[in-house]
């Protein structure tokens, strides 16, 4: 039987330690077979699919460990909901076009009464995504299950998802007022009012419920951490604000620290051997939307090894080229969104363009100063492609000159 083959040629291949100019990649049956200069690979070889990179960069597919994008797709406005099937299908297309080939869709089990952060609704969405992804998919879909440690009422739901192997990353988060992102009660109240448009009484009820759950939090995370460890599910902690918090969660099995609030905490996590994850939007915008540290400062200090999209997937690729223009080489910057996140969750055959690895790659061309994905390949299959025209008004001036303002 003839093997399915794909060749990406005429590009600049970004390897973990260098950029290989005038190079190409050859894949068979979804596995990378050869990477090298065009003179080293038989360019005349007949492949089922040939992609001309047109001199652009060829990067590994991006691996995103934390993204709330699925929540925004399901509930684009507070109280406005869309069905999971079309929402997930549309999101996959967007992610492929943004160069993300492995996505850990983040669902928060935060005990909300309504919406996508309602425990039952989040669990149902996870099960439906698993069914859809198992049938047909554009990218590699994984689930990042985020557990609010005071939400003791949903322990059985989360344990069931772990037992059914429907979560691929478990993180512990604590949004009780007085620590982390909300050092004061007023910080928390402002966030809840702005985000969920809740009346004062509902916010106070939520605070009281969190305080009640605080007494049971340790038992919950201990039980979940043990279950995740037995199932070989990686564990992360979220918004740590002190070295002591890093040590506590590391004792429960956490080897990833997401969005440490300050450099002291990031340094403690890095010193312990954990992966420190920062947000791409923080890099693109130049700072946190809250009280967190600048992600670029942690990267420049050599403390952060993973970048995730957090809430804005296009920032992943943008952050790579911003860092490559300022403080890192392109291979160093690319590793933060490819090889390092793959290593952090044990995906050993993803994250780099090397022989024997799975054939996930993206072609990136520059549109002025902006990097844009023009081709995406997942498992040796092209799942996305666009062609930019030189001028959208080319050939139309005489017919539409009153609109184009160019002639």
């Amino acid at each position: 039987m003839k093997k399915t083959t794909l060749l990406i040629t005429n590009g600049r291949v970004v390897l973990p330690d260098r950029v290989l100019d005038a190079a190409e990649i050859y894949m068979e049956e979804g596995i990378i077979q050869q990477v090298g200069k065009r003179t080293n690979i038989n360019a005349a070889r007949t492949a089922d699919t040939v992609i001309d990179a047109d001199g652009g960069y060829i990067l590994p597919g991006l691996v995103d460990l934390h993204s709330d994008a699925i929540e925004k797709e399901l509930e684009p406005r507070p109280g406005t909901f869309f069905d999971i099937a079309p929402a997930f299908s549309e999101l996959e297309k967007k992610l492929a076009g943004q160069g993300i080939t492995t996505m850990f869709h983040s669902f928060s089990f935060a005990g909300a009464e309504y919406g996508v952060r309602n425990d039952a609704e989040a669990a149902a969405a996870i099960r439906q995504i698993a069914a859809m992804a198992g049938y047909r998919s554009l990218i590699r879909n994984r689930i990042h299950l985020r557990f609010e440690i005071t939400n003791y009422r949903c322990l059985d739901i989360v344990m069931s998802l772990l037992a059914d192997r429907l979560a691929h990353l478990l993180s512990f988060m604590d949004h009780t007022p007085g620590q982390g992102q909300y050092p004061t009660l007023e910080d928390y109240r402002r966030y809840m009012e702005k985000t969920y448009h809740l009346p004062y009484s509902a916010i106070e009820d939520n605070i009281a419920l969190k305080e009640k759950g605080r007494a049971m939090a340790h038992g919950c995370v201990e039980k979940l951490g043990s279950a995740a460890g037995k199932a070989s599910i990686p564990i992360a902690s979220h918004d740590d604000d002190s070295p002591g918090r890093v040590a506590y969660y590391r004792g429960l099995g956490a080897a990833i620290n997401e969005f440490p609030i300050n450099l002291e905490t990031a340094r403690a996590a890095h010193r312990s051997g954990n992966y420190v994850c920062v947000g791409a939007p923080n890099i693109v915008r130049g700072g946190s939307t809250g009280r967190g540290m600048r992600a670029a400062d942690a990267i420049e200090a050599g403390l952060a090894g993973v970048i995730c999209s957090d809430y804005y997937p296009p920032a992943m690729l943008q952050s790579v080229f911003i860092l490559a223009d300022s403080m890192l080489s392109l291979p160093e910057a690319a590793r933060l969104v490819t090889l390092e996140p793959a290593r952090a969750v044990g995906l050993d055959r993803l994250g780099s363009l090397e022989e024997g690895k799975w054939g996930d790659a993206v072609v990136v061309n520059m549109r002025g100063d902006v990097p844009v994905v023009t081709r995406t390949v997942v498992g040796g299959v092209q799942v996305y492609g666009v062609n930019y025209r030189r001028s959208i008004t080319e050939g139309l001036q005489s017919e539409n000159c009153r609109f184009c303002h160019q002639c």
Side-chain angles (χ1 to χ4, degrees), residues 395-403 407:
L396 299 178
Q397 286 89 341
S398 60
E399 184 177 346
N400 297 307
C401 62
R402 66 183 185 279
F403 299 118
C407 57

Side-chain angles (χ1 to χ4, degrees), residues 55 143 183-184 211 263:
I143 296 296
T184 70
E211 289 301 328
L263 283 173

Side-chain angles (χ1 to χ4, degrees), residues 43-199:
R45 186 200 312 261
T46 301
D48 298 318
T49 303
V50 177
I51 296 174
D52 185 351
D54 194 25
Y57 295 100
I58 306 172
L59 280 77
L62 277 55
V63 179
D64 192 354
L65 298 186
H66 180 131
S67 175
D68 301 337
I70 185 64
E71 292 186 342
K72 304 300 183 189
E73 206 75 22
L74 292 171
E75 189 181 1
R77 289 184 177 179
T80 303
F81 305 104
F82 287 85
D83 290 341
I84 183 68
F88 175 66
S89 296
E90 292 305 312
L91 178 60
E92 264 204 308
K93 290 190 288 186
K94 293 179 185 178
L95 297 174
Q98 291 154 0
I100 297 171
T101 57
T102 301
M103 171 58 88
F104 282 70
H105 302 283
S106 300
F107 283 91
S108 292
F109 287 78
E113 186 175 357
Y114 305 108
V116 293
R117 294 196 171 184
N118 171 274
D119 300 331
E121 293 293 331
I126 287 173
R127 293 186 182 280
Q128 191 166 350
I129 285 177
M132 293 179 66
Y135 169 59
R136 281 187 178 181
S137 58
L138 291 178
I139 66 172
R140 302 182 192 275
N141 295 286
R142 302 289 187 271
I143 296 296
H144 176 169
L145 195 159
R146 303 176 61 198
F147 177 72
E148 187 73 33
I149 66 171
T150 56
N151 189 19
Y152 62 93
R153 296 179 299 176
C154 83
L155 186 61
D156 289 343
I157 292 176
V158 175
M159 287 292 289
S160 175
L161 292 168
L162 295 180
D164 291 342
R165 301 298 179 98
L166 293 176
H168 307 92
L169 174 61
L170 171 68
S171 66
F172 296 126
M173 55 184 183
D174 182 2
H175 290 113
T176 33
Q179 50 78 54
Q181 286 280 12
Y182 312 109
T184 70
L185 275 172
E186 277 310 306
D187 288 322
Y188 183 77
R189 289 189 182 108
R190 278 195 297 269
Y191 167 78
M192 292 296 289
E193 185 177 25
K194 178 182 70 174
T195 305
Y196 298 106
H197 307 289
L198 294 176

Side-chain angles (χ1 to χ4, degrees), residues 265-276:
T265 303
R267 189 170 290 109
H270 179 72
R271 192 184 306 120
S272 72
N274 282 10
Y275 286 90
V276 175

Side-chain angles (χ1 to χ4, degrees), residues 214-338:
R214 189 188 291 273
M216 288 168 270
H218 178 70
C220 289
V221 296
E222 198 171 42
K223 187 172 183 178
L224 290 174
S226 175
K230 290 176 182 176
S232 298
I233 297 170
I235 301 173
S237 59
H238 181 83
D239 285 352
D240 299 320
D241 60 0
S242 69
R245 190 64 62 92
V246 170
Y248 171 72
Y249 284 116
R250 184 169 172 83
L252 292 164
I256 302 170
N257 296 93
E258 296 186 313
F259 319 128
I261 299 297
N262 50 58
L263 283 173
E264 178 191 15
T265 303
R267 189 170 290 109
H270 179 72
R271 192 184 306 120
S272 72
N274 282 10
Y275 286 90
V276 175
C277 179
V278 296
N282 185 312
I283 296 167
V284 173
R285 298 178 66 257
S288 170
T289 58
R291 295 176 176 269
M293 66 182 180
R294 288 181 71 248
D297 291 342
I299 292 171
E300 190 168 28
L303 303 177
V306 173
I307 295 172
C308 67
S309 73
D310 193 2
Y311 58 89
Y312 186 62
M316 286 279 278
L317 183 65
Q318 295 171 22
S319 69
V320 169
F321 283 83
I322 287 172
L323 293 173
D325 280 341
S326 56
M327 64 182 71
L328 302 176
S329 69
L330 181 56
E332 288 172 333
R335 283 205 306 269
L336 301 181
V337 298
T338 56

